[in-house]
Amino acid sequence: MKKIILASSLAIAVIGLASRGSALPPPSLSVASESGSVMYTDIGNTLDATYLVFQITNSGGPASDVWAQLDTSASSIISNVGTGVHELKFKPATGAHGTAPTPETGLAGGETKGVFFLVKATQTTSTPQTLTVKLFSTCSDTSTPGCGSGTLSGSLGSQSFAFTVADTIQANANKVNTVITIPSNPQIGQLGTITVDGCTGTVGAAKVLYFSPVSSHSWPADSFEFIDADIDINGYANTPYRNVALIPSADVLTNATCSQNGSGTGSYDEIFTFVIDGQGTASTTPANFISSGTQVKHTTNASGSFSVVIPPPTCPTITVSSTPATLLNATVGVPYSASFSASPPAQGTYSFTASGLPAWLSLDSSTGALTGTPGFGDVGTVSFTVTATDSGGDPAGCTGQTQFTFDVVCAHIDVHSVPSCCPYPAATVGQLYTIHFSASPSGTYTFSGFNFPSWLSIDPSTGILSGTPGTGDVGVVDIGVTATETTSQCQGGLEVEFNVDPAAPKVPTLGGVGLAVLALSLAASAYSLIRRG
């Protein structure tokens, strides 16, 4: 028994180790600056902003979502343009120059992604300014770019960096050409690009070569959010450079053989990709900062203006249908029902309304059930329109409508005598004959007849049949009685058959001498019988 217990304990221990071994490690994130430690500006010429680029690497387990915030609160000179918060929601481009990034939220183990922050400086300074990149796993307002007014939580670490702000001078010889490409009918979440090409010119011994797609704080950093940089420099060993602003000094060539837009060493082509998170207008001010001797110069910025007008979301086609698919006719006095539904499935819930419904019909707004009982005054064609409204979706309140038609038809009208009788009693020559007729269902009726003999008539309002037959009317009477409902003109009929009998024979009446003679005759007859007997 002890051996069994020992074996069982060992098995449990092995299972426990296996379970612990299969658990994924937590994320382990680190941040590196790809913008060096200097923010280059030309504040006097309105180039007061620069994109700072950081690379975030995960050396631990996967992080399903990562939000990066640049905290500039420790600096009185450098501040964010926009919220200073970005979600890592695209996978960096790989492969040949011009390859686009692809959607991918979070950061897998062993993966690196770049994040771009546009910052503004109010003055130059040689005093290092502390900027801190903070990482979080959750934002409470994911529907708004840059977390909007939401709260960041679930800290994944942070890293501080020191930046000075340096002034540059304009180098007119190094101009840039800008091409902006965005979808013709952009939607939220689509990508646009800013392409800049030119020539580095001769780079000084300091080997400063810094690229920024925007150098003015007027750029709407949250609406048009940069997610990828792809810089190709002809003749540079590690080109293309992905998500890098400052080219590593070891790669920088001090002599350029290119002319403006040429193909020699130092000619460059930059593709900056941004995701459209909102509509608006923007003017790019790309600038390339290049050391020249003891100075840092920048290219003449050739700005490109554009407007992003995002079409408003459109409603889907909503179809309203009925059950049954073709509405049946309604009958006077009979409860009527049908139901309506809509497709495609609602983003919220459908509510139903109807226009043109007669008073006897009602529509349940939540279920789409149509119910009611028509009367004689409702006979005819019913035509109405049912509208379905979706409470949800983007946009909300989308509607669809369909017109429906059916007829209200006459009910069966029962014509009968009061009281009901069959066969009908016979009429007698010389005597007043009457039958009272009525009709149902309840309504206002007028009565008429056909095949009536001349001695017979019917009161149109009361339905009373009356008349006195004569000697020549003896025989069978076969007539019809019709009841017409005055509102709807609905009709019902009844065949009526009865006999006309002759008058009963008259019994003679004796009096005076006649009675005396009859009495003497009877007395004589009685006397004769007595004598014979």
Side-chain angles (χ1 to χ4, degrees):
M1 180 64 71
K2 290 182 179 179
K3 291 182 179 179
I4 295 174
I5 293 173
L6 180 59
S8 300
S9 301
L10 180 60
I12 293 171
V14 171
I15 292 172
L17 288 172
S19 299
R20 290 196 295 273
S22 64
L24 293 174
S28 179
L29 308 185
S30 59
V31 186
S33 171
E34 295 294 341
S35 295
S37 59
V38 180
M39 174 183 173
Y40 295 100
T41 65
D42 184 0
I43 297 176
N45 289 307
T46 69
L47 274 66
D48 60 350
T50 301
Y51 262 101
L52 302 181
V53 184
F54 300 89
Q55 297 274 18
I56 302 171
T57 301
N58 183 8
S59 57
S64 60
D65 202 359
V66 178
W67 292 80
Q69 177 189 41
L70 183 65
D71 186 350
T72 62
S73 60
S75 172
S76 59
I77 295 173
I78 301 175
S79 60
N80 281 303
V81 177
T83 62
V85 177
H86 299 292
E87 183 184 15
L88 303 188
K89 54 188 177 182
F90 281 84
K91 184 179 180 66
T94 57
H97 175 62
T99 306
T102 54
E104 180 194 70
T105 301
L107 202 59
E111 187 176 29
T112 298
K113 290 185 177 181
V115 61
F116 298 72
F117 297 103
L118 183 61
V119 293
K120 175 185 177 181
T122 55
Q123 64 185 61
T124 60
T125 181
S126 59
T127 301
Q129 306 293 302
T130 300
L131 307 179
T132 302
V133 177
K134 298 180 178 180
L135 306 175
F136 300 90
S137 63
T138 306
C139 165
S140 63
D141 182 17
T142 58
S143 63
T144 305
C147 198
S149 58
T151 301
L152 293 167
S153 60
S155 175
L156 295 173
S158 64
Q159 180 67 50
S160 295
F161 302 88
F163 282 86
T164 59
V165 181
D167 197 14
T168 65
I169 63 174
Q170 184 171 299
N172 292 325
N174 295 328
K175 294 181 172 60
V176 299
N177 297 305
T178 306
V179 177
I180 302 166
T181 304
I182 59 173
S184 58
N185 290 294
Q187 301 286 339
I188 294 294
Q190 286 189 290
L191 303 181
T193 60
I194 295 176
T195 301
V196 183
D197 60 41
C199 177
T200 63
T202 300
V203 181
K207 292 189 175 183
V208 172
L209 186 53
Y210 191 102
F211 296 89
S212 178
V214 170
S215 298
S216 173
H217 72 276
S218 62
W219 176 264
D222 293 328
S223 295
F224 309 141
E225 177 186 0
F226 276 108
I227 57 170
D228 188 81
D230 179 1
I231 304 173
D232 183 82
I233 309 175
N234 192 26
Y236 278 51
N238 294 306
T239 196
Y241 294 91
R242 307 285 189 178
N243 296 332
V244 170
L246 180 66
I247 304 302
S249 60
D251 292 357
V252 176
L253 302 179
T254 57
N255 294 317
T257 62
C258 67
S259 58
Q260 185 69 29
N261 298 327
S263 59
T265 299
S267 63
Y268 60 81
D269 180 79
E270 313 165 62
I271 301 175
F272 297 96
T273 302
F274 60 92
V275 59
I276 300 171
D277 288 329
Q279 65 181 17
T281 59
S283 178
T284 64
T285 54
N288 300 331
F289 300 93
I290 302 172
S291 62
S292 176
T294 59
Q295 296 176 322
V296 176
K297 299 180 179 180
H298 66 80
T299 55
T300 302
N301 59 294
S303 64
S305 299
F306 67 98
S307 176
V308 171
V309 179
I310 299 172
T314 58
C315 288
T317 299
I318 296 176
T319 303
V320 181
S321 56
S322 65
T323 302
T326 300
L327 294 182
L328 303 177
N329 289 338
T331 301
V332 171
V334 178
Y336 184 81
S337 66
S339 63
F340 300 95
S341 59
S343 61
Q347 298 298 312
T349 56
Y350 280 121
S351 60
F352 298 90
T353 56
S355 60
L357 279 183
W360 65 273
L361 275 174
S362 62
L363 179 66
D364 189 300
S365 62
S366 59
T367 66
L370 182 73
T371 55
T373 302
F376 280 116
D378 303 311
V379 169
T381 298
V382 176
S383 182
F384 59 97
T385 299
V386 175
T387 300
T389 302
D390 188 350
S391 64
D394 183 18
C398 294
T399 63
Q401 61 183 23
T402 303
Q403 187 176 39
F404 297 90
T405 302
F406 65 91
D407 292 329
V408 177
V409 298
C410 294
H412 171 71
I413 295 177
D414 177 46
V415 182
H416 52 273
S417 62
V418 182
S420 181
C421 61
C422 279
Y424 295 97
T428 302
V429 171
Q431 296 184 13
L432 179 64
Y433 183 77
T434 62
I435 305 176
H436 184 195
F437 290 97
S438 184
S440 60
S442 178
T444 303
Y445 292 95
T446 57
F447 296 88
S448 60
F450 56 90
N451 293 335
F452 274 28
S454 59
W455 63 272
L456 195 61
S457 64
I458 189 168
D459 188 303
S461 59
T462 65
I464 296 176
L465 181 77
S466 63
T468 303
T471 303
D473 299 316
V474 173
V476 177
V477 175
D478 189 357
I479 61 173
V481 174
T482 300
T484 302
E485 204 283 319
T486 57
T487 303
S488 62
Q489 298 300 301
C490 294
Q491 290 186 331
L494 177 68
E495 184 178 355
V496 178
E497 184 179 290
F498 60 89
N499 292 325
V500 175
D501 294 338
K506 293 184 179 181
V507 177
T509 303
L510 300 176
V513 177
L515 287 174
V517 172
L518 178 59
L520 288 175
S521 296
L522 291 173
S525 297
Y527 178 75
S528 296
L529 289 172
I530 292 171
R531 288 195 59 174
R532 284 199 298 267

